[in-house]
Amino acid sequence: MQSGYVTTPFGRRPMTLALVRRQLATAEIRPGKTADKWKIFRDASEARELLGLQDRSLAVLDALLSFYPENELRQEAQLIVFPSNAQLALRAHGIAGATLRRHLGLLVDAGLIVRKDSANGKRYARKDKAGDIETAFGFDISPLLSRAEELAMLAQQVVSDRLAFRRMKENLTICRRDVRKLISAAMEEGAPGDWNTVEETYVGILARLPRAPTKDEVGAALDEMELLRGEIINILERQENEKNRSTNAAQNERHIQNSKSESTRELEPSSEKELGAMQGNDHAAPRVPIRNFPLGMVLRACPDVVMYGPSGKIDGWRDLMSAAVVVRSMLGISPSAYQEACEVMGAENAAVAVACILERAGHINSPGGYLRDLTRRAERGEFSLGPALMALLRGQSANDRSVG
């Protein structure tokens, strides 16, 4: 293989530093390296979008590889093919000349081939006395051998992303079905709640999805739909708990009325301390746990908190809770207010609440008082983090669209 120097294109085609870098990389192929040319072609086909190629570009690359006589590309071999445009067009399924030249340029720009032009721009080979090719001018396909491993990794990435995208769409379909049927059941059975507003939120999430959504758009819709599903389940759970409390209270009252035959002494508390405990238990309402949300969703809704994590990143819930302590101090939230939030909401959800407050810090006069108010509302079962995260996610999506 001829290498070790940089060649410039013929005619008006410009030389770029990117072309220099590609040719130098080609000259550094590991000695003895080999690869199957059709395996490389399949990897390049799989990764065509990442490489900026079109289907016609792949047809031209396929035609070029067909002019190389062996299936295996070898580092020590002559890796230059020199077909005429007419021959190339024929093997590329009759592609027009102008289209052929454009896609050859795309293959060069993608770094899959390199032009090695002769003095007059013609493509040909010069052979020695033994009939072996001594010098060739045309298209150097050695970059394919040089980038074989890279192209394989790109192909794997595309396959993995495609699988993740398909699963994401399946999860959105399932979540969408759950939300739709839960709303319908609540409406048909007369469950208390503003179900019209919930339904409007559901319709709004779907309305923002374009006809052919990207992975990011499907991910944002899935996040919002999962939040909405969590909120609906929270509402129904609270109603069920209230119903159970009412039923238990009625049963206790009947039990007391039916226990008149028992000794009054047996029903009296043995001490004033026990009396206080019983009275306290009589008035204490069981607390409905606030749901935890996926960490990735929280970080998409509250990206500002990431810089306060250990080493400026957040890889898990422990990192988020550590960041929340730093943010709590920075915002002037007292340790007692944060401790109370942890006791009522749970440590993870308290950290999420602080992250939400940080995201809206410019609109909150007293972060400490705001957190205490959220804690009191959560204790009464009147607050959930779902709507706050959903609103922040919508804001982030709107910002991304305006920047794009």
Side-chain angles (χ1 to χ4, degrees), residues 36-148:
D36 184 279
K37 67 178 181 180
W38 298 121
K39 168 64 169 61
I40 299 175
F41 175 75
R42 288 192 295 272
D43 290 338
S45 300
E46 197 73 67
R48 64 183 178 277
E49 291 186 4
L50 298 179
L51 296 170
L53 299 177
Q54 303 171 10
D55 291 342
R56 287 290 187 91
S57 306
L58 296 174
V60 174
L61 180 60
D62 178 64
L64 281 172
L65 288 175
S66 71
F67 284 99
Y68 185 74
E70 301 177 21
N71 284 336
E72 190 175 64
L73 302 182
R74 293 177 289 108
Q75 179 268 339
E76 69 274 8
Q78 176 67 257
L79 296 178
I80 295 176
V81 293
F82 39 90
S84 67
N85 281 358
Q87 292 173 316
L88 259 181
L90 185 63
R91 293 200 187 182
H93 313 295
I95 191 171
T99 307
L100 174 66
R101 289 189 293 272
R102 179 162 60 87
H103 288 288
L104 284 170
L106 289 176
L107 291 172
V108 172
D109 292 340
L112 299 184
I113 62 174
V114 173
R115 297 180 190 271
K116 186 180 179 186
D117 291 340
S118 64
N120 59 6
K122 301 294 183 180
R123 299 172 201 147
Y124 61 90
R126 184 180 296 121
K127 298 183 179 180
D128 58 20
K129 293 180 180 180
D132 297 327
I133 295 177
E134 183 180 52
T135 306
F137 297 98
F139 296 104
D140 187 351
I141 59 175
S142 57
L144 292 171
L145 178 60
S146 174
R147 300 179 62 186

